[in-house]
Amino acid sequence: MKKIALVAAVCLAGFSGVALSQGIQQTKGSFVDKFRQLDEVLPTPNVYRTAGGQPGHQYWQQEVDYQIDVTLDEANQRLAGTEAITYQNNAPDTLSYLWLQLDQNQHRSDSIAELGSTFNSANPQTDTPARISLDSLRSLQYMEDTELGYEINSVTLDGGAELAFTIVGTLMRVDLAQPLRPGQSVQFTVDYAYNIVNGDVLYPRGGYEHFPDDEREGGNHIFAIAQWFPRLVAYTDYEGWTNKEFLGAGEFTLEFGDYEVAITVPEDHIVAATGELLNANQVLTAAQRERLQQAQNAARPVYIVTPEEALENEREGTAQTVTWRFGAERVRDFAWASSRKFIWDAKGYQQPGADQEQILAMSFYPKEGGTLWSEYSTEAIIHTLEVYSRFTFDYPYPTAQSVSAKFVGGMEYPMITFNGPRATLQDDGSRTYSLAEKRFLIGVVIHEIGHSYFPMIVNSDERQWTWMDEGINSYLDSVAGREWDPDIPGGAEPRYIVDYMLSQNQQPIMTQSDSVTSLGPNAYTKPATAINILRETIMGRELFDFAFKEYSQLWKFKRPTPSDFFRTMEEASGVDLDWFWHGWFYTTDHVDIGLNRIYEMRLDTENPDIDYSRQREIEKSLPPSVLVERNRAEGLQTWVERNPDVRDFYDDNDQFTVTNKDRNSYNAFLEGLEDWERAVLERAVSEDRKYYILEFANEGGLVMPIILEVEYADGSKETLRFPAEIWRRSPAQVKKLLVTSKQITNVVVDPLQETADANIENNYDPRRIIPSRIESFKSDGGGGLDGRDIMQDIKTELKPAEAEDDGSSDN
Ligand SMILES: [Zn+2]
């Protein structure tokens, strides 16, 4: 190779020697391979799950059908039921026992959830006393006073023979009379009861809410009933029985099946439930049935029970009961709600050409929901179906419902969701809400209805991998939220996850849900952000949307594991994402790509008549010596100046003087070049491009693409994108050569902040002044502006100017 020197003429950000420690041959020491094959940690593909992430040719899953008769005892807040279970063994294995989930046992005082809970307050052996909230004291008293957990009265075979059962915490093993062979099914009946949990005290996923000062003496209730019958534990090809104790955080993994449920409640109650109402003729009035028909093609939600009717309803109360019958096919669970307080509205949603062409979106809420519910709940359901179906598959069920249950916050079941936010009653009788509460209601309805797709249809294992339903769903709810109103803050926005990714004591996303310390960012926003980045930055929308739809369709009504998701996304897009899954899902690394320095270089021509004078210019451009300048300012004469008569050749010729010896050697160099080499050199010299070396550091550990916005001296800008593979052989530091015809004045890394880069101050060359805020002392320290109930505050009258003298404020 001939020597072609690139000489650094300008260095935009200083220089320090950096050891070349990241060699490709290095296999020990600090080198970390960020691009290792993910197959090293994924399960080996088999006949049930292919190497491409598809259900294998012998894929199987169990089916469990339930026929349940249940009675709600409102006066005693108690529920009693009989369930007939049909268990179809589609596994290639013979089963001698079945496991059932007894989630109500979570609330028993001897449960692992309760005994394993810890007290987190200051050590009392200090000057400050330990603290316990009145809320916690109330919980302790309630658990002491109330018998919680399932009462299992009997487990019997179809013919009436008793089956032995053993209760293990929140689980129950039922020993079968004979082994259940592949392809066989067994029918048995469980007779049970339990006291419904007070939602205002223990904040359970299912329970009751009491309105003590309501229209009716003694108050009214909303019952939001979930995890209310012994449900089969899933039996899977990847884990066998998924019998992990229910501790409260990790949710469920369940089997698909058909349900017929008869719910007996006080006659003046309205019941909402998974599935379709089968006996409308018996439980609804003719007017209500007529309104349901009108709702099918209505432009806006139609009241089935109007606010006035609901108010009338809740004043009465009755000892009569009525039985509501519901049917649901191919669902993994069943939940319901019941109250005489319910206002009920409905609006149809059409899916032309789909298996399920007509869907009824419905909301059930008390007057306390106000216009927040009547305006937005049902519309938000339909918006969710529109957006989610576009990304996945047609919504396959006949109903989609939102029920107001304040203690729940937000919780999902097939075709039905429980959502918390409500309006606030003001002295003037109006019900108002803050912007935050409005966004919360719309956001939570989108999120919970979104769960109809993940995990209610794409049936991932929530207990093991919360991110598979919460992360994917939070990603899509952020897409749907932005399509509703772009000003709603999106949970998948990369810049919002930065603080969590910098935090200590965090776990990788792949951690089992009960072990995660911060489930919100870990299982919701971090995976949602990762998926958002995957679509917008790594894969691009076209490749992502195709692969994501493929995953959704392959696994609808089936049971995917993380490896199936990882593999399908790669298989269908052709993009190697092993590094991405590794970095985002298996480590706690964060993103921080820094642009450490840029060198601007000019190509030497090798011609001494040109290169020497260029070098002379560079030397002249250096700042003069301070010492010499000050000597001169003081009038000090140098020896040379004082003795001008003593001179020689070097006083008139500097070290950059060109001689014929230099020219001869240049000519000899040119003659020694091959024709193509000379052509390359001549072209490069005549083009006289600028050569820039950009030095990047990976400070966060997580490899990501390098996205650059480059601004040139003429004011033009250009965005350059280099894939994450740039870090493959040198994961801590890389240099990139840019050759341009224009001079670079400015470079910004990740200009749109799309990679969750945790420290953006090292993204600028030259560095920038950081915009921020400073707040003076005597200021309103309270919450954000959107936490104010402006709807109410706007009614505040302006005080006359002199009233300000007393310094009081009613805000
Ligand atoms: Zn969720």
mmCIF file of all heavy atoms in Angstrom, residues 1-2 668-682:
data_model
loop_
_atom_site.group_PDB
_atom_site.id
_atom_site.type_symbol
_atom_site.label_atom_id
_atom_site.label_comp_id
_atom_site.label_asym_id
_atom_site.label_seq_id
_atom_site.Cartn_x
_atom_site.Cartn_y
_atom_site.Cartn_z
ATOM 1 N N MET A 1 0.846 -1.199 0.000
ATOM 2 C CA MET A 1 0.000 0.000 0.000
ATOM 3 C C MET A 1 0.874 1.239 0.000
ATOM 4 O O MET A 1 1.833 1.344 0.749
ATOM 5 C CB MET A 1 -0.890 0.030 1.254
ATOM 6 C CG MET A 1 -1.941 -1.055 1.286
ATOM 7 S SD MET A 1 -3.169 -0.902 -0.013
ATOM 8 C CE MET A 1 -4.199 0.376 0.674
ATOM 9 N N LYS A 2 0.485 2.173 -0.822
ATOM 10 C CA LYS A 2 1.215 3.435 -0.833
ATOM 11 C C LYS A 2 0.704 4.324 0.283
ATOM 12 O O LYS A 2 -0.440 4.233 0.696
ATOM 13 C CB LYS A 2 1.035 4.149 -2.186
ATOM 14 C CG LYS A 2 1.523 3.338 -3.364
ATOM 15 C CD LYS A 2 3.046 3.248 -3.364
ATOM 16 C CE LYS A 2 3.554 2.521 -4.606
ATOM 17 N NZ LYS A 2 3.297 1.058 -4.605
ATOM 18 N N ALA A 668 9.392 10.861 -8.677
ATOM 19 C CA ALA A 668 9.692 9.418 -8.615
ATOM 20 C C ALA A 668 8.508 8.666 -7.994
ATOM 21 O O ALA A 668 8.147 7.567 -8.436
ATOM 22 C CB ALA A 668 10.952 9.188 -7.773
ATOM 23 N N PHE A 669 7.867 9.294 -6.977
ATOM 24 C CA PHE A 669 6.688 8.674 -6.344
ATOM 25 C C PHE A 669 5.568 8.496 -7.360
ATOM 26 O O PHE A 669 4.950 7.429 -7.462
ATOM 27 C CB PHE A 669 6.247 9.570 -5.176
ATOM 28 C CG PHE A 669 4.843 9.336 -4.710
ATOM 29 C CD1 PHE A 669 4.487 8.193 -4.006
ATOM 30 C CD2 PHE A 669 3.840 10.271 -4.981
ATOM 31 C CE1 PHE A 669 3.184 7.993 -3.579
ATOM 32 C CE2 PHE A 669 2.528 10.068 -4.567
ATOM 33 C CZ PHE A 669 2.204 8.918 -3.860
ATOM 34 N N LEU A 670 5.358 9.552 -8.192
ATOM 35 C CA LEU A 670 4.303 9.466 -9.215
ATOM 36 C C LEU A 670 4.612 8.375 -10.220
ATOM 37 O O LEU A 670 3.734 7.597 -10.604
ATOM 38 C CB LEU A 670 4.138 10.805 -9.934
ATOM 39 C CG LEU A 670 3.503 11.952 -9.143
ATOM 40 C CD1 LEU A 670 3.376 13.187 -10.027
ATOM 41 C CD2 LEU A 670 2.127 11.569 -8.598
ATOM 42 N N GLU A 671 5.899 8.285 -10.644
ATOM 43 C CA GLU A 671 6.269 7.268 -11.651
ATOM 44 C C GLU A 671 6.103 5.868 -11.086
ATOM 45 O O GLU A 671 5.825 4.926 -11.820
ATOM 46 C CB GLU A 671 7.716 7.490 -12.121
ATOM 47 C CG GLU A 671 7.811 8.567 -13.200
ATOM 48 C CD GLU A 671 9.250 9.094 -13.359
ATOM 49 O OE1 GLU A 671 10.182 8.313 -13.063
ATOM 50 O OE2 GLU A 671 9.392 10.270 -13.733
ATOM 51 N N GLY A 672 6.286 5.727 -9.783
ATOM 52 C CA GLY A 672 6.155 4.404 -9.153
ATOM 53 C C GLY A 672 4.714 3.933 -9.013
ATOM 54 O O GLY A 672 4.450 2.786 -8.685
ATOM 55 N N LEU A 673 3.743 4.811 -9.232
ATOM 56 C CA LEU A 673 2.336 4.427 -9.079
ATOM 57 C C LEU A 673 1.828 3.656 -10.281
ATOM 58 O O LEU A 673 2.212 3.943 -11.413
ATOM 59 C CB LEU A 673 1.460 5.683 -8.891
ATOM 60 C CG LEU A 673 1.596 6.473 -7.584
ATOM 61 C CD1 LEU A 673 0.677 7.680 -7.617
ATOM 62 C CD2 LEU A 673 1.299 5.607 -6.375
ATOM 63 N N GLU A 674 0.979 2.673 -10.057
ATOM 64 C CA GLU A 674 0.252 2.028 -11.152
ATOM 65 C C GLU A 674 -0.690 3.064 -11.759
ATOM 66 O O GLU A 674 -1.021 4.062 -11.115
ATOM 67 C CB GLU A 674 -0.588 0.868 -10.596
ATOM 68 C CG GLU A 674 0.166 -0.178 -9.820
ATOM 69 C CD GLU A 674 0.898 -1.154 -10.729
ATOM 70 O OE1 GLU A 674 0.567 -1.213 -11.928
ATOM 71 O OE2 GLU A 674 1.813 -1.837 -10.229
ATOM 72 N N ASP A 675 -1.157 2.795 -12.969
ATOM 73 C CA ASP A 675 -2.052 3.758 -13.632
ATOM 74 C C ASP A 675 -3.288 4.051 -12.782
ATOM 75 O O ASP A 675 -3.691 5.191 -12.616
ATOM 76 C CB ASP A 675 -2.499 3.211 -14.998
ATOM 77 C CG ASP A 675 -1.348 3.286 -15.987
ATOM 78 O OD1 ASP A 675 -0.312 3.903 -15.622
ATOM 79 O OD2 ASP A 675 -1.480 2.721 -17.088
ATOM 80 N N TRP A 676 -3.898 2.955 -12.231
ATOM 81 C CA TRP A 676 -5.140 3.171 -11.468
ATOM 82 C C TRP A 676 -4.881 3.942 -10.187
ATOM 83 O O TRP A 676 -5.700 4.730 -9.744
ATOM 84 C CB TRP A 676 -5.842 1.842 -11.179
ATOM 85 C CG TRP A 676 -5.144 0.924 -10.196
ATOM 86 C CD1 TRP A 676 -4.294 -0.085 -10.489
ATOM 87 C CD2 TRP A 676 -5.243 0.971 -8.772
ATOM 88 N NE1 TRP A 676 -3.851 -0.696 -9.360
ATOM 89 C CE2 TRP A 676 -4.420 -0.070 -8.284
ATOM 90 C CE3 TRP A 676 -5.933 1.766 -7.874
ATOM 91 C CZ2 TRP A 676 -4.246 -0.324 -6.921
ATOM 92 C CZ3 TRP A 676 -5.772 1.500 -6.523
ATOM 93 C CH2 TRP A 676 -4.944 0.482 -6.038
ATOM 94 N N GLU A 677 -3.686 3.701 -9.607
ATOM 95 C CA GLU A 677 -3.357 4.407 -8.366
ATOM 96 C C GLU A 677 -3.199 5.905 -8.629
ATOM 97 O O GLU A 677 -3.672 6.743 -7.870
ATOM 98 C CB GLU A 677 -2.052 3.859 -7.772
ATOM 99 C CG GLU A 677 -2.220 2.449 -7.203
ATOM 100 C CD GLU A 677 -0.907 1.835 -6.744
ATOM 101 O OE1 GLU A 677 0.124 2.046 -7.420
ATOM 102 O OE2 GLU A 677 -0.905 1.134 -5.723
ATOM 103 N N ARG A 678 -2.554 6.206 -9.767
ATOM 104 C CA ARG A 678 -2.361 7.612 -10.100
ATOM 105 C C ARG A 678 -3.721 8.284 -10.380
ATOM 106 O O ARG A 678 -3.964 9.406 -9.939
ATOM 107 C CB ARG A 678 -1.453 7.731 -11.346
ATOM 108 C CG ARG A 678 -1.114 9.183 -11.665
ATOM 109 C CD ARG A 678 -0.457 9.302 -13.033
ATOM 110 N NE ARG A 678 0.933 8.881 -12.962
ATOM 111 C CZ ARG A 678 1.967 9.696 -13.243
ATOM 112 N NH1 ARG A 678 1.722 10.945 -13.586
ATOM 113 N NH2 ARG A 678 3.192 9.267 -13.197
ATOM 114 N N ALA A 679 -4.603 7.546 -11.074
ATOM 115 C CA ALA A 679 -5.935 8.103 -11.381
ATOM 116 C C ALA A 679 -6.711 8.391 -10.097
ATOM 117 O O ALA A 679 -7.364 9.426 -9.963
ATOM 118 C CB ALA A 679 -6.715 7.136 -12.272
ATOM 119 N N VAL A 680 -6.620 7.453 -9.144
ATOM 120 C CA VAL A 680 -7.330 7.643 -7.867
ATOM 121 C C VAL A 680 -6.798 8.878 -7.150
ATOM 122 O O VAL A 680 -7.558 9.725 -6.669
ATOM 123 C CB VAL A 680 -7.178 6.378 -6.974
ATOM 124 C CG1 VAL A 680 -7.592 6.678 -5.537
ATOM 125 C CG2 VAL A 680 -7.994 5.233 -7.538
ATOM 126 N N LEU A 681 -5.465 8.989 -7.091
ATOM 127 C CA LEU A 681 -4.860 10.124 -6.383
ATOM 128 C C LEU A 681 -5.232 11.445 -7.053
ATOM 129 O O LEU A 681 -5.628 12.402 -6.385
ATOM 130 C CB LEU A 681 -3.336 9.958 -6.335
ATOM 131 C CG LEU A 681 -2.591 11.101 -5.640
ATOM 132 C CD1 LEU A 681 -3.007 11.211 -4.168
ATOM 133 C CD2 LEU A 681 -1.080 10.916 -5.742
ATOM 134 N N GLU A 682 -5.125 11.464 -8.415
ATOM 135 C CA GLU A 682 -5.413 12.717 -9.128
ATOM 136 C C GLU A 682 -6.852 13.150 -8.919
ATOM 137 O O GLU A 682 -7.133 14.329 -8.709
ATOM 138 C CB GLU A 682 -5.114 12.555 -10.626
ATOM 139 C CG GLU A 682 -3.622 12.664 -10.930
ATOM 140 C CD GLU A 682 -3.288 12.319 -12.388
ATOM 141 O OE1 GLU A 682 -4.225 11.961 -13.147
ATOM 142 O OE2 GLU A 682 -2.099 12.385 -12.732
#
